[in-house]
Amino acid sequence: MADAAVGKDRCGEQRLVSLPLSRIRVIMKSSPEVSSINQEALVLTAKATELFVQYLATCSYRHGSGKARKALTYSDLASTAEDSETLQFLADILPKKILASKYLKMLKEKREEEEEHDGESDIGEVLA
Amino acid sequence: MAERPEDLNLPNAVITRIIKEALPDGVNISKEARSAISRAASVFVLYATSCANNFAMKGKRKTLNASDVLSAMEEMEFQRFVTPLKEALEAYRREQKGKKEASEQKKKDKDKKTDSEEQDKSREEDDEDEERLEEEEQNEEEEVDN
């Protein structure tokens, strides 16, 4: 997108990118180790975020059935995050959804496994 | 830091527009999906910032700069973004240069004009212009910090 500045605000922001620089700056500054951010770095981060949104949307859409589909859903995103190495950092915030009954069953099975292992040696558990 | 949760989110309208432009016509996005992408974008900013900061620290600098961000993209395995980002950076630099030259030109023109006007009156205007120009330049060159 060749976004020339369409209607700059008072401070002349919103050049080349659609995402508000002020908001991007707030998020960046919330990172504890960061002291200051040069204006170019801010603009590039905003632009990169736009590219990322495009990438995530198209990737997830394609990752779905592959047939012509009418909608992009949450599960498309969750499944893409899980399957893509590059998007691993999103796996925690985009967890797959499962039925509560299934989750409870999984917990129960895990507990039973742990009870079984109580009697074995440490090595046995590592190899399991 | 007392940021409220909403402050770390990006505006829905803009996110939705970017998604719609990326997908084929007629494809809908569920509200949940849109909200998830928005959250993911915020996480992306944090991750990119942290990564870029590592490069700045390696270079013994306290200010994140453009090359730190580009290096972060490679590190995060988003090499595909590097070329479009470099193009955006060049466009941004050209724009900045254009603005600076424009304001310098304005000042030259103003100087020429005042030669033929009353001395007192022109001096007053000059001071105002100079203040305004200096302020503009300051705004552009200023590093973004607290």
mmCIF file of all heavy atoms in Angstrom, chain B residues 79-122:
data_model
loop_
_atom_site.group_PDB
_atom_site.id
_atom_site.type_symbol
_atom_site.label_atom_id
_atom_site.label_comp_id
_atom_site.label_asym_id
_atom_site.label_seq_id
_atom_site.Cartn_x
_atom_site.Cartn_y
_atom_site.Cartn_z
ATOM 1 N N GLN B 79 11.408 -12.446 7.064
ATOM 2 C CA GLN B 79 12.240 -11.845 6.012
ATOM 3 C C GLN B 79 11.394 -11.260 4.892
ATOM 4 O O GLN B 79 11.793 -10.307 4.240
ATOM 5 C CB GLN B 79 13.180 -12.878 5.364
ATOM 6 C CG GLN B 79 14.291 -13.352 6.255
ATOM 7 C CD GLN B 79 13.897 -14.581 7.056
ATOM 8 O OE1 GLN B 79 12.701 -14.895 7.170
ATOM 9 N NE2 GLN B 79 14.867 -15.263 7.611
ATOM 10 N N ARG B 80 10.222 -11.842 4.689
ATOM 11 C CA ARG B 80 9.342 -11.377 3.623
ATOM 12 C C ARG B 80 8.972 -9.907 3.800
ATOM 13 O O ARG B 80 8.583 -9.245 2.846
ATOM 14 C CB ARG B 80 8.065 -12.202 3.596
ATOM 15 C CG ARG B 80 7.313 -12.136 4.940
ATOM 16 C CD ARG B 80 6.053 -12.961 4.958
ATOM 17 N NE ARG B 80 6.288 -14.364 4.749
ATOM 18 C CZ ARG B 80 5.571 -15.114 3.909
ATOM 19 N NH1 ARG B 80 4.604 -14.575 3.224
ATOM 20 N NH2 ARG B 80 5.829 -16.380 3.770
ATOM 21 N N PHE B 81 9.068 -9.395 5.042
ATOM 22 C CA PHE B 81 8.706 -8.005 5.302
ATOM 23 C C PHE B 81 9.847 -7.040 5.005
ATOM 24 O O PHE B 81 9.621 -5.840 4.852
ATOM 25 C CB PHE B 81 8.321 -7.806 6.772
ATOM 26 C CG PHE B 81 7.073 -8.524 7.199
ATOM 27 C CD1 PHE B 81 6.736 -8.579 8.548
ATOM 28 C CD2 PHE B 81 6.243 -9.147 6.287
ATOM 29 C CE1 PHE B 81 5.586 -9.225 8.968
ATOM 30 C CE2 PHE B 81 5.087 -9.813 6.699
ATOM 31 C CZ PHE B 81 4.755 -9.845 8.053
ATOM 32 N N VAL B 82 11.068 -7.567 4.959
ATOM 33 C CA VAL B 82 12.224 -6.673 4.885
ATOM 34 C C VAL B 82 12.214 -5.756 3.665
ATOM 35 O O VAL B 82 12.397 -4.537 3.802
ATOM 36 C CB VAL B 82 13.541 -7.473 4.979
ATOM 37 C CG1 VAL B 82 14.740 -6.577 4.724
ATOM 38 C CG2 VAL B 82 13.680 -8.100 6.360
ATOM 39 N N THR B 83 11.973 -6.312 2.483
ATOM 40 C CA THR B 83 11.985 -5.464 1.285
ATOM 41 C C THR B 83 10.911 -4.375 1.317
ATOM 42 O O THR B 83 11.222 -3.198 1.136
ATOM 43 C CB THR B 83 11.872 -6.317 0.000
ATOM 44 O OG1 THR B 83 12.856 -7.327 0.036
ATOM 45 C CG2 THR B 83 12.059 -5.463 -1.227
ATOM 46 N N PRO B 84 9.626 -4.741 1.553
ATOM 47 C CA PRO B 84 8.634 -3.657 1.629
ATOM 48 C C PRO B 84 8.936 -2.639 2.717
ATOM 49 O O PRO B 84 8.651 -1.446 2.560
ATOM 50 C CB PRO B 84 7.311 -4.390 1.906
ATOM 51 C CG PRO B 84 7.637 -5.809 2.112
ATOM 52 C CD PRO B 84 9.001 -6.066 1.628
ATOM 53 N N LEU B 85 9.539 -3.079 3.818
ATOM 54 C CA LEU B 85 9.883 -2.137 4.879
ATOM 55 C C LEU B 85 10.983 -1.184 4.432
ATOM 56 O O LEU B 85 10.940 0.014 4.725
ATOM 57 C CB LEU B 85 10.309 -2.879 6.149
ATOM 58 C CG LEU B 85 9.165 -3.508 6.955
ATOM 59 C CD1 LEU B 85 9.713 -4.263 8.148
ATOM 60 C CD2 LEU B 85 8.172 -2.462 7.412
ATOM 61 N N LYS B 86 11.966 -1.716 3.726
ATOM 62 C CA LYS B 86 13.049 -0.850 3.243
ATOM 63 C C LYS B 86 12.494 0.182 2.275
ATOM 64 O O LYS B 86 12.907 1.350 2.291
ATOM 65 C CB LYS B 86 14.139 -1.678 2.561
ATOM 66 C CG LYS B 86 15.043 -2.376 3.529
ATOM 67 C CD LYS B 86 16.204 -3.093 2.828
ATOM 68 C CE LYS B 86 17.168 -3.659 3.854
ATOM 69 N NZ LYS B 86 18.101 -4.622 3.247
ATOM 70 N N GLU B 87 11.556 -0.234 1.444
ATOM 71 C CA GLU B 87 10.940 0.714 0.496
ATOM 72 C C GLU B 87 10.179 1.795 1.255
ATOM 73 O O GLU B 87 10.260 2.979 0.919
ATOM 74 C CB GLU B 87 9.975 -0.022 -0.443
ATOM 75 C CG GLU B 87 10.697 -0.839 -1.487
ATOM 76 C CD GLU B 87 9.746 -1.740 -2.277
ATOM 77 O OE1 GLU B 87 8.516 -1.641 -2.089
ATOM 78 O OE2 GLU B 87 10.257 -2.537 -3.075
ATOM 79 N N ALA B 88 9.449 1.377 2.283
ATOM 80 C CA ALA B 88 8.688 2.340 3.074
ATOM 81 C C ALA B 88 9.636 3.322 3.758
ATOM 82 O O ALA B 88 9.360 4.523 3.843
ATOM 83 C CB ALA B 88 7.834 1.615 4.115
ATOM 84 N N LEU B 89 10.758 2.809 4.221
ATOM 85 C CA LEU B 89 11.735 3.654 4.895
ATOM 86 C C LEU B 89 12.285 4.704 3.940
ATOM 87 O O LEU B 89 12.410 5.891 4.294
ATOM 88 C CB LEU B 89 12.871 2.790 5.454
ATOM 89 C CG LEU B 89 13.972 3.515 6.230
ATOM 90 C CD1 LEU B 89 13.412 4.267 7.427
ATOM 91 C CD2 LEU B 89 15.051 2.534 6.688
ATOM 92 N N GLU B 90 12.602 4.295 2.728
ATOM 93 C CA GLU B 90 13.121 5.243 1.750
ATOM 94 C C GLU B 90 12.084 6.305 1.409
ATOM 95 O O GLU B 90 12.421 7.485 1.306
ATOM 96 C CB GLU B 90 13.562 4.515 0.481
ATOM 97 C CG GLU B 90 14.994 4.047 0.571
ATOM 98 C CD GLU B 90 15.346 3.092 -0.556
ATOM 99 O OE1 GLU B 90 14.923 3.330 -1.693
ATOM 100 O OE2 GLU B 90 16.064 2.117 -0.257
ATOM 101 N N ALA B 91 10.842 5.858 1.254
ATOM 102 C CA ALA B 91 9.771 6.807 0.943
ATOM 103 C C ALA B 91 9.619 7.797 2.085
ATOM 104 O O ALA B 91 9.461 9.010 1.875
ATOM 105 C CB ALA B 91 8.464 6.065 0.703
ATOM 106 N N TYR B 92 9.684 7.313 3.303
ATOM 107 C CA TYR B 92 9.569 8.161 4.479
ATOM 108 C C TYR B 92 10.705 9.169 4.534
ATOM 109 O O TYR B 92 10.485 10.362 4.788
ATOM 110 C CB TYR B 92 9.565 7.293 5.733
ATOM 111 C CG TYR B 92 9.592 8.070 7.027
ATOM 112 C CD1 TYR B 92 8.445 8.691 7.498
ATOM 113 C CD2 TYR B 92 10.760 8.187 7.767
ATOM 114 C CE1 TYR B 92 8.464 9.415 8.683
ATOM 115 C CE2 TYR B 92 10.789 8.904 8.947
ATOM 116 C CZ TYR B 92 9.649 9.516 9.402
ATOM 117 O OH TYR B 92 9.676 10.229 10.562
ATOM 118 N N ARG B 93 11.932 8.712 4.253
ATOM 119 C CA ARG B 93 13.086 9.618 4.285
ATOM 120 C C ARG B 93 12.986 10.694 3.204
ATOM 121 O O ARG B 93 13.318 11.850 3.436
ATOM 122 C CB ARG B 93 14.380 8.820 4.128
ATOM 123 C CG ARG B 93 14.734 8.082 5.390
ATOM 124 C CD ARG B 93 15.948 7.192 5.236
ATOM 125 N NE ARG B 93 16.334 6.654 6.528
ATOM 126 C CZ ARG B 93 17.207 5.670 6.680
ATOM 127 N NH1 ARG B 93 17.798 5.124 5.620
ATOM 128 N NH2 ARG B 93 17.519 5.232 7.884
ATOM 129 N N ARG B 94 12.499 10.281 2.027
ATOM 130 C CA ARG B 94 12.340 11.261 0.945
ATOM 131 C C ARG B 94 11.334 12.316 1.358
ATOM 132 O O ARG B 94 11.517 13.503 1.134
ATOM 133 C CB ARG B 94 11.846 10.578 -0.332
ATOM 134 C CG ARG B 94 12.942 9.961 -1.169
ATOM 135 C CD ARG B 94 12.451 9.700 -2.587
ATOM 136 N NE ARG B 94 11.229 8.913 -2.618
ATOM 137 C CZ ARG B 94 11.200 7.583 -2.655
ATOM 138 N NH1 ARG B 94 12.325 6.895 -2.684
ATOM 139 N NH2 ARG B 94 10.055 6.940 -2.677
ATOM 140 N N GLU B 95 10.248 11.853 1.971
ATOM 141 C CA GLU B 95 9.190 12.758 2.395
ATOM 142 C C GLU B 95 9.713 13.746 3.424
ATOM 143 O O GLU B 95 9.437 14.943 3.366
ATOM 144 C CB GLU B 95 8.033 11.951 2.987
ATOM 145 C CG GLU B 95 6.762 12.752 3.142
ATOM 146 C CD GLU B 95 5.758 11.979 3.972
ATOM 147 O OE1 GLU B 95 5.934 11.926 5.204
ATOM 148 O OE2 GLU B 95 4.810 11.435 3.396
ATOM 149 N N GLN B 96 10.502 13.250 4.351
ATOM 150 C CA GLN B 96 11.078 14.102 5.394
ATOM 151 C C GLN B 96 11.991 15.147 4.771
ATOM 152 O O GLN B 96 11.985 16.315 5.149
ATOM 153 C CB GLN B 96 11.884 13.267 6.396
ATOM 154 C CG GLN B 96 11.043 12.371 7.279
ATOM 155 C CD GLN B 96 10.001 13.143 8.038
ATOM 156 O OE1 GLN B 96 8.857 13.261 7.618
ATOM 157 N NE2 GLN B 96 10.371 13.711 9.153
ATOM 158 N N LYS B 97 12.801 14.684 3.825
ATOM 159 C CA LYS B 97 13.745 15.581 3.166
ATOM 160 C C LYS B 97 12.968 16.650 2.409
ATOM 161 O O LYS B 97 13.310 17.827 2.469
ATOM 162 C CB LYS B 97 14.610 14.774 2.204
ATOM 163 C CG LYS B 97 15.786 15.509 1.682
ATOM 164 C CD LYS B 97 16.724 14.585 0.897
ATOM 165 C CE LYS B 97 17.754 15.416 0.163
ATOM 166 N NZ LYS B 97 18.131 14.853 -1.122
ATOM 167 N N GLY B 98 11.911 16.237 1.726
ATOM 168 C CA GLY B 98 11.068 17.160 0.976
ATOM 169 C C GLY B 98 10.482 18.237 1.859
ATOM 170 O O GLY B 98 10.485 19.418 1.521
ATOM 171 N N LYS B 99 10.020 17.811 3.014
ATOM 172 C CA LYS B 99 9.423 18.769 3.942
ATOM 173 C C LYS B 99 10.439 19.765 4.442
ATOM 174 O O LYS B 99 10.196 20.962 4.536
ATOM 175 C CB LYS B 99 8.813 18.038 5.140
ATOM 176 C CG LYS B 99 7.442 17.500 4.850
ATOM 177 C CD LYS B 99 6.980 16.532 5.904
ATOM 178 C CE LYS B 99 6.688 17.204 7.219
ATOM 179 N NZ LYS B 99 6.141 16.226 8.181
ATOM 180 N N LYS B 100 11.627 19.279 4.740
ATOM 181 C CA LYS B 100 12.669 20.151 5.262
ATOM 182 C C LYS B 100 13.073 21.165 4.200
ATOM 183 O O LYS B 100 13.208 22.353 4.486
ATOM 184 C CB LYS B 100 13.872 19.306 5.671
ATOM 185 C CG LYS B 100 14.867 20.076 6.470
ATOM 186 C CD LYS B 100 15.841 19.159 7.206
ATOM 187 C CE LYS B 100 16.772 20.003 8.052
ATOM 188 N NZ LYS B 100 17.923 19.269 8.512
ATOM 189 N N GLU B 101 13.237 20.663 2.961
ATOM 190 C CA GLU B 101 13.619 21.572 1.885
ATOM 191 C C GLU B 101 12.525 22.604 1.643
ATOM 192 O O GLU B 101 12.811 23.765 1.413
ATOM 193 C CB GLU B 101 13.915 20.790 0.605
ATOM 194 C CG GLU B 101 15.257 20.106 0.652
ATOM 195 C CD GLU B 101 15.451 19.115 -0.482
ATOM 196 O OE1 GLU B 101 14.548 18.999 -1.331
ATOM 197 O OE2 GLU B 101 16.496 18.459 -0.504
ATOM 198 N N ALA B 102 11.286 22.171 1.736
ATOM 199 C CA ALA B 102 10.166 23.076 1.510
ATOM 200 C C ALA B 102 10.164 24.197 2.539
ATOM 201 O O ALA B 102 9.964 25.361 2.210
ATOM 202 C CB ALA B 102 8.847 22.321 1.546
ATOM 203 N N SER B 103 10.417 23.841 3.781
ATOM 204 C CA SER B 103 10.383 24.880 4.805
ATOM 205 C C SER B 103 11.598 25.782 4.704
ATOM 206 O O SER B 103 11.523 26.969 4.978
ATOM 207 C CB SER B 103 10.253 24.275 6.199
ATOM 208 O OG SER B 103 11.398 23.529 6.522
ATOM 209 N N GLU B 104 12.725 25.227 4.240
ATOM 210 C CA GLU B 104 13.909 26.065 4.053
ATOM 211 C C GLU B 104 13.684 27.020 2.897
ATOM 212 O O GLU B 104 14.090 28.181 2.949
ATOM 213 C CB GLU B 104 15.148 25.204 3.793
ATOM 214 C CG GLU B 104 15.750 24.662 5.055
ATOM 215 C CD GLU B 104 16.820 23.614 4.792
ATOM 216 O OE1 GLU B 104 17.224 23.468 3.634
ATOM 217 O OE2 GLU B 104 17.219 22.950 5.751
ATOM 218 N N GLN B 105 13.035 26.536 1.863
ATOM 219 C CA GLN B 105 12.725 27.366 0.687
ATOM 220 C C GLN B 105 11.802 28.499 1.085
ATOM 221 O O GLN B 105 11.978 29.633 0.676
ATOM 222 C CB GLN B 105 12.092 26.487 -0.405
ATOM 223 C CG GLN B 105 11.861 27.193 -1.724
ATOM 224 C CD GLN B 105 13.145 27.726 -2.316
ATOM 225 O OE1 GLN B 105 14.164 27.048 -2.373
ATOM 226 N NE2 GLN B 105 13.112 28.979 -2.725
ATOM 227 N N LYS B 106 10.825 28.170 1.906
ATOM 228 C CA LYS B 106 9.876 29.185 2.361
ATOM 229 C C LYS B 106 10.607 30.301 3.081
ATOM 230 O O LYS B 106 10.338 31.480 2.914
ATOM 231 C CB LYS B 106 8.874 28.542 3.344
ATOM 232 C CG LYS B 106 7.469 28.430 2.774
ATOM 233 C CD LYS B 106 6.531 27.624 3.642
ATOM 234 C CE LYS B 106 6.142 28.292 4.932
ATOM 235 N NZ LYS B 106 5.268 27.430 5.747
ATOM 236 N N LYS B 107 11.581 29.897 3.864
ATOM 237 C CA LYS B 107 12.342 30.868 4.639
ATOM 238 C C LYS B 107 13.146 31.763 3.700
ATOM 239 O O LYS B 107 13.178 32.971 3.879
ATOM 240 C CB LYS B 107 13.282 30.124 5.588
ATOM 241 C CG LYS B 107 13.835 30.993 6.671
ATOM 242 C CD LYS B 107 14.648 30.169 7.673
ATOM 243 C CE LYS B 107 15.276 31.100 8.689
ATOM 244 N NZ LYS B 107 16.356 30.487 9.423
ATOM 245 N N LYS B 108 13.740 31.159 2.674
ATOM 246 C CA LYS B 108 14.519 31.946 1.701
ATOM 247 C C LYS B 108 13.618 32.948 1.007
ATOM 248 O O LYS B 108 13.968 34.108 0.837
ATOM 249 C CB LYS B 108 15.130 31.005 0.649
ATOM 250 C CG LYS B 108 16.436 30.406 1.052
ATOM 251 C CD LYS B 108 17.075 29.681 -0.132
ATOM 252 C CE LYS B 108 17.901 28.505 0.394
ATOM 253 N NZ LYS B 108 18.063 27.460 -0.618
ATOM 254 N N ASP B 109 12.451 32.464 0.605
ATOM 255 C CA ASP B 109 11.511 33.341 -0.090
ATOM 256 C C ASP B 109 11.103 34.496 0.804
ATOM 257 O O ASP B 109 11.020 35.647 0.369
ATOM 258 C CB ASP B 109 10.256 32.568 -0.507
ATOM 259 C CG ASP B 109 10.562 31.612 -1.659
ATOM 260 O OD1 ASP B 109 11.630 31.771 -2.264
ATOM 261 O OD2 ASP B 109 9.733 30.724 -1.927
ATOM 262 N N LYS B 110 10.874 34.180 2.038
ATOM 263 C CA LYS B 110 10.461 35.183 3.001
ATOM 264 C C LYS B 110 11.563 36.234 3.157
ATOM 265 O O LYS B 110 11.289 37.426 3.193
ATOM 266 C CB LYS B 110 10.175 34.502 4.348
ATOM 267 C CG LYS B 110 9.480 35.382 5.330
ATOM 268 C CD LYS B 110 7.988 35.462 5.005
ATOM 269 C CE LYS B 110 7.364 36.599 5.801
ATOM 270 N NZ LYS B 110 5.958 36.764 5.511
ATOM 271 N N ASP B 111 12.794 35.771 3.229
ATOM 272 C CA ASP B 111 13.917 36.702 3.379
ATOM 273 C C ASP B 111 13.995 37.656 2.205
ATOM 274 O O ASP B 111 14.176 38.851 2.380
ATOM 275 C CB ASP B 111 15.234 35.915 3.485
ATOM 276 C CG ASP B 111 15.374 35.264 4.850
ATOM 277 O OD1 ASP B 111 14.613 35.636 5.749
ATOM 278 O OD2 ASP B 111 16.229 34.383 5.014
ATOM 279 N N LYS B 112 13.850 37.090 1.000
ATOM 280 C CA LYS B 112 13.896 37.923 -0.212
ATOM 281 C C LYS B 112 12.818 38.988 -0.149
ATOM 282 O O LYS B 112 13.041 40.152 -0.460
ATOM 283 C CB LYS B 112 13.648 37.049 -1.450
ATOM 284 C CG LYS B 112 14.905 36.489 -2.066
ATOM 285 C CD LYS B 112 14.648 35.927 -3.461
ATOM 286 C CE LYS B 112 15.480 34.653 -3.631
ATOM 287 N NZ LYS B 112 14.931 33.776 -4.639
ATOM 288 N N LYS B 113 11.647 38.579 0.260
ATOM 289 C CA LYS B 113 10.487 39.478 0.279
ATOM 290 C C LYS B 113 10.720 40.632 1.255
ATOM 291 O O LYS B 113 10.478 41.788 0.945
ATOM 292 C CB LYS B 113 9.267 38.671 0.692
ATOM 293 C CG LYS B 113 7.944 39.301 0.318
ATOM 294 C CD LYS B 113 6.787 38.378 0.709
ATOM 295 C CE LYS B 113 5.470 39.133 0.640
ATOM 296 N NZ LYS B 113 4.412 38.435 1.353
ATOM 297 N N THR B 114 11.235 40.319 2.417
ATOM 298 C CA THR B 114 11.352 41.358 3.438
ATOM 299 C C THR B 114 12.384 42.422 3.062
ATOM 300 O O THR B 114 12.379 43.507 3.608
ATOM 301 C CB THR B 114 11.769 40.768 4.796
ATOM 302 O OG1 THR B 114 12.977 40.041 4.631
ATOM 303 C CG2 THR B 114 10.707 39.808 5.296
ATOM 304 N N ASP B 115 13.273 42.132 2.163
ATOM 305 C CA ASP B 115 14.257 43.139 1.733
ATOM 306 C C ASP B 115 13.575 44.371 1.180
ATOM 307 O O ASP B 115 14.043 45.487 1.354
ATOM 308 C CB ASP B 115 15.188 42.554 0.662
ATOM 309 C CG ASP B 115 16.284 41.729 1.305
ATOM 310 O OD1 ASP B 115 16.433 41.829 2.533
ATOM 311 O OD2 ASP B 115 16.983 40.997 0.587
ATOM 312 N N SER B 116 12.444 44.140 0.519
ATOM 313 C CA SER B 116 11.778 45.277 -0.117
ATOM 314 C C SER B 116 10.674 45.884 0.744
ATOM 315 O O SER B 116 9.977 46.784 0.322
ATOM 316 C CB SER B 116 11.219 44.848 -1.477
ATOM 317 O OG SER B 116 10.426 43.686 -1.321
ATOM 318 N N GLU B 117 10.490 45.387 1.970
ATOM 319 C CA GLU B 117 9.441 45.932 2.838
ATOM 320 C C GLU B 117 10.039 46.778 3.940
ATOM 321 O O GLU B 117 11.260 46.850 4.092
ATOM 322 C CB GLU B 117 8.642 44.776 3.469
ATOM 323 C CG GLU B 117 7.634 44.172 2.512
ATOM 324 C CD GLU B 117 6.873 43.036 3.197
ATOM 325 O OE1 GLU B 117 7.148 42.741 4.372
ATOM 326 O OE2 GLU B 117 6.018 42.454 2.527
ATOM 327 N N GLU B 118 9.148 47.372 4.758
ATOM 328 C CA GLU B 118 9.608 48.163 5.898
ATOM 329 C C GLU B 118 10.415 47.300 6.841
ATOM 330 O O GLU B 118 10.033 46.208 7.164
ATOM 331 C CB GLU B 118 8.398 48.686 6.652
ATOM 332 C CG GLU B 118 7.867 49.986 6.136
ATOM 333 C CD GLU B 118 6.873 50.551 7.142
ATOM 334 O OE1 GLU B 118 7.296 51.103 8.157
ATOM 335 O OE2 GLU B 118 5.659 50.397 6.898
ATOM 336 N N GLN B 119 11.485 47.819 7.389
ATOM 337 C CA GLN B 119 12.361 47.020 8.247
ATOM 338 C C GLN B 119 11.661 46.515 9.505
ATOM 339 O O GLN B 119 11.686 45.351 9.837
ATOM 340 C CB GLN B 119 13.596 47.830 8.652
ATOM 341 C CG GLN B 119 14.511 48.110 7.499
ATOM 342 C CD GLN B 119 15.280 46.891 7.037
ATOM 343 O OE1 GLN B 119 14.729 45.805 6.901
ATOM 344 N NE2 GLN B 119 16.558 47.057 6.795
ATOM 345 N N ASP B 120 10.998 47.430 10.251
ATOM 346 C CA ASP B 120 10.359 47.039 11.510
ATOM 347 C C ASP B 120 9.329 45.942 11.338
ATOM 348 O O ASP B 120 9.363 44.939 12.023
ATOM 349 C CB ASP B 120 9.668 48.241 12.164
ATOM 350 C CG ASP B 120 10.709 49.178 12.752
ATOM 351 O OD1 ASP B 120 11.881 48.779 12.847
ATOM 352 O OD2 ASP B 120 10.334 50.311 13.100
ATOM 353 N N LYS B 121 8.422 46.166 10.424
ATOM 354 C CA LYS B 121 7.334 45.216 10.212
ATOM 355 C C LYS B 121 7.895 43.842 9.822
ATOM 356 O O LYS B 121 7.509 42.808 10.371
ATOM 357 C CB LYS B 121 6.430 45.744 9.101
ATOM 358 C CG LYS B 121 5.125 44.964 8.976
ATOM 359 C CD LYS B 121 4.243 45.542 7.894
ATOM 360 C CE LYS B 121 2.977 44.685 7.788
ATOM 361 N NZ LYS B 121 2.225 45.033 6.587
ATOM 362 N N SER B 122 8.842 43.831 8.894
ATOM 363 C CA SER B 122 9.383 42.550 8.408
ATOM 364 C C SER B 122 10.111 41.801 9.497
ATOM 365 O O SER B 122 10.066 40.584 9.570
ATOM 366 C CB SER B 122 10.289 42.771 7.215
ATOM 367 O OG SER B 122 11.427 43.519 7.618
#
